[in-house]
Amino acid sequence: MLTFRKKLLVSAFTVTGLIVLDGCNDSFLTRPPQGQYSPASLSNLKGIEGILIGAYGMIDGQGIGGQNAWENEVQNWVFGGIPSDDAYKGTDAGDQPEQSFIERYDFQPTNGHIRNKWRGLYEGVARTNNVLDILPQVKDITDARRKQIEAEAKFLRGYFHFEARKIFRYAPYIDEKIYDISDPNSTKIPNDKEIWPNIEADFTAAAAALPETQSQPGRPTKFAALAHLAKTYMFQGFDISTGAANTAKLQQAKTVLEQIVTSGKYKLIDNFSQNFDSDTRNNAESIFEVQYAKSASDDGAATAGMGLAHPYASPWGCCGFYQPSQNLVNAYKTDANGLPLLDTFNDVDVKNDQGIALEGAYTPDAGRLDPRLDWTVGRRGILYKDFKIHNSDFIRDQTYAGPYSPKKHVASKKNTLLGVGWTNLTGNNFRLIRYAHVLLWLAECEVEIGSLERARALVNQVRARAANPNDWVKKAIQGGTRDAYTETSDPAANYVIKEYSAPWTDKVTARKAVRHETRLEFAMEGHRFFDLVRWGVAADVLNAYTATEGNKRTYLKGVRFAKGKNEYFPIPQEAIDNSSIAGKPTLTQNPAYK
């Protein structure tokens, strides 16, 4: 298995060694610095493979010193979760105030989280360019492997630039032709060009050369590159100011998505929950999956970026971040026909245990719910994976951030190394793109430029899987100790979910249905904020959200999302300062933040 143990790899060009001066002669002037690899020493198969693994290492946010893993975490819970309507920052008011500013749309270019996200992404870009710069000099390599390394590096470079474009908008594109290791100013280029075409080119080149399958999980396939290419088109598929469809880009996306579907390589696995635990990693639904690993002797490749986003109860004890919102929980309500309440889901709250003590009596909500809720959100009276029944001790401060806990990324108890280091660190992989993404992106395209009935059929595939009763969370009865429980064969709640049976004839309603389904399927996976932005509805949705949630979470009262500004984050001031040549910065700030 391909794992990303950055500790085992010395970055080829970022580690500075000490030069010991010899007073007897001047041979030190030509002596290579100790602790630093030269390009020549890495111009071989072993060296280039090592540099490539170093580039992979930046995907999970743990490959750069001096910053926290969650600031550059691939799941984007800080940037894609807490500024959305899916989640609150969580924990308590004083913990990680940088995130509180992000949650309130007070995006500042001096925010350390924003700064470090930029740093991490462009460290990844630099590492991929290291690979592509040195690769032509490698002699002890087959032509086939050379092509594969080039394709993998371009895939990764496309990914890092995609994230930068998605988050910052005004991001520069840097390739190996621009990058010159001997010139520290070579990468100081203006951010005055649209980089979507460059990103498309990287993914297109990768798809042309990558194999359909890989022997090592974690390395991209042809279809992983195609899925990222389609995602790139989808992010250009709507005008973010008006929400109008860009039919040309959606048609490009549709063509690529159809290629993935007709390949027959992927399918929805039977159980929704199997996308969120270690036992079922790299399954038939996974198109590109970020690999994690942890053992008793090594946790350097574990899920550190999600470490804070665990319940406050034992066995975790830290740290209570990334709590689901009441709005998200309400979104899982269904009507008598088992369909979502597209327009009215937030009118009445699903019952919760706000303010009820651990020993307090509580009767769960008896209303109809989509069963995916209880694989997504930890809530009172429901078994939390295989640990214990969720209760108020899971929450650090209910009055601040509500009564719910995140659930998808938390590994099961049997896959948590209890008593070994920080138990929040696990080997639970993250499915960055799974087949359900392909189906729902394709449904989006069909609504705008194709068949509403085809869109309905695609959505129904996803809903049919969610309706599998064998995968519904089961009711549990509290035992004699806090951790003891007995699981029954009965559903944990009143789960009612069905497929859309009536034909879709109205585009507006169909669009709402597809987008709502996308939220239900991928909630708390870090996509929601960016989906709202790309659809051009962020201001409307998020201002309605804060207007209601401000009555529940007082720190959100009066918070407003600024249309035309908060869709993207500002360029970090540090990056602008560091881009200077002869005292003049080459990077310019997003005009909305000047």
Side-chain angles (χ1 to χ4, degrees), residues 470-500:
N470 295 325
D471 190 45
W472 293 354
V473 175
K474 300 299 186 289
K475 183 177 180 180
I477 300 171
Q478 182 65 53
T481 66
R482 178 67 187 92
D483 289 358
Y485 65 86
T486 301
E487 193 172 10
T488 74
S489 59
D490 297 325
N494 181 20
Y495 300 133
V496 181
I497 180 172
K498 295 181 182 178
E499 299 173 38
Y500 288 93

Side-chain angles (χ1 to χ4, degrees), residues 35-52:
Q36 179 175 346
Y37 287 112
S38 68
S41 67
L42 294 167
S43 299
N44 53 65
L45 181 58
K46 183 177 180 180
I48 201 69
E49 295 282 13
I51 304 172
L52 179 61

Side-chain angles (χ1 to χ4, degrees), residues 363-568:
T363 302
D365 196 306
R368 295 177 292 268
L369 297 168
D370 185 311
R372 286 172 290 189
L373 168 63
D374 289 321
W375 286 119
T376 304
V377 176
R379 60 192 187 103
R380 182 72 168 252
I382 308 294
L383 183 62
Y384 191 89
K385 299 217 165 176
D386 54 350
F387 286 94
K388 64 181 80 173
I389 295 173
H390 194 279
N391 208 325
S392 59
D393 57 343
F394 273 60
I395 310 299
R396 188 171 188 175
D397 185 352
Q398 274 205 7
T399 60
Y400 176 71
Y404 303 115
S405 299
K407 200 170 186 179
K408 280 182 174 178
H409 62 270
V410 177
S412 61
K413 185 175 183 179
K414 66 177 179 177
N415 288 315
T416 299
L417 294 178
L418 300 178
V420 179
W422 191 22
T423 55
N424 295 28
L425 303 184
T426 71
N428 194 18
N429 288 358
F430 175 57
R431 288 71 166 174
L432 180 58
I433 296 184
R434 48 191 174 92
Y435 189 57
H437 281 107
V438 169
L439 295 178
L440 291 177
W441 286 335
L442 191 52
E444 282 188 48
C445 296
E446 293 290 355
V447 167
E448 305 300 335
I449 60 172
S451 161
L452 295 184
E453 279 297 273
R454 175 94 192 285
R456 180 171 71 94
L458 291 162
V459 169
N460 277 343
Q461 287 187 51
V462 175
R463 294 186 65 76
R465 189 263 295 279
N468 174 12
N470 295 325
D471 190 45
W472 293 354
V473 175
K474 300 299 186 289
K475 183 177 180 180
I477 300 171
Q478 182 65 53
T481 66
R482 178 67 187 92
D483 289 358
Y485 65 86
T486 301
E487 193 172 10
T488 74
S489 59
D490 297 325
N494 181 20
Y495 300 133
V496 181
I497 180 172
K498 295 181 182 178
E499 299 173 38
Y500 288 93
S501 58
W504 283 3
T505 57
D506 178 66
K507 179 180 281 192
V508 172
T509 302
R511 185 183 296 121
K512 284 182 184 178
V514 173
R515 291 178 178 180
H516 195 85
E517 197 68 31
T518 297
R519 185 185 192 189
L520 300 179
E521 181 72 12
F522 302 109
M524 301 298 289
E525 295 182 47
H527 304 296
R528 177 63 174 173
F529 177 77
F530 304 114
D531 281 339
L532 293 174
V533 169
R534 72 181 177 85
W535 291 329
V537 300
D540 291 342
V541 171
L542 294 177
N543 284 327
Y545 164 73
T546 56
T548 301
E549 292 291 322
N551 297 319
K552 303 177 178 77
R553 313 270 74 83
T554 57
Y555 63 86
L556 289 176
K557 201 167 191 67
V559 168
R560 296 285 295 173
F561 178 100
K563 186 178 177 64
K565 177 178 181 179
N566 292 142
E567 288 86 356
Y568 298 102

Side-chain angles (χ1 to χ4, degrees), residues 76-154:
N76 270 322
W77 62 275
V78 172
F79 297 93
I82 62 174
S84 80
D85 51 354
D86 271 6
Y88 314 128
K89 184 204 78 174
T91 185
D92 64 21
D95 206 348
Q96 296 284 332
E98 299 93 339
Q99 294 181 27
S100 294
F101 286 112
I102 291 173
E103 184 176 17
R104 291 171 53 85
Y105 313 119
D106 186 3
F107 303 160
Q108 296 295 329
T110 54
N111 185 304
H113 283 30
I114 295 173
R115 175 198 66 208
N116 289 339
K117 185 66 172 180
W118 178 283
R119 289 178 64 205
L121 292 174
Y122 278 98
E123 172 71 11
V125 169
R127 293 188 186 192
T128 60
N129 284 328
N130 284 343
V131 174
L132 294 167
D133 186 55
I134 292 176
L135 184 59
Q137 305 166 38
V138 177
K139 305 303 181 186
D140 59 332
I141 188 173
T142 65
D143 288 343
R145 186 59 194 142
R146 188 188 304 278
K147 290 178 181 178
Q148 291 297 295
I149 290 175
E150 179 182 3
E152 290 180 37
K154 287 185 176 181

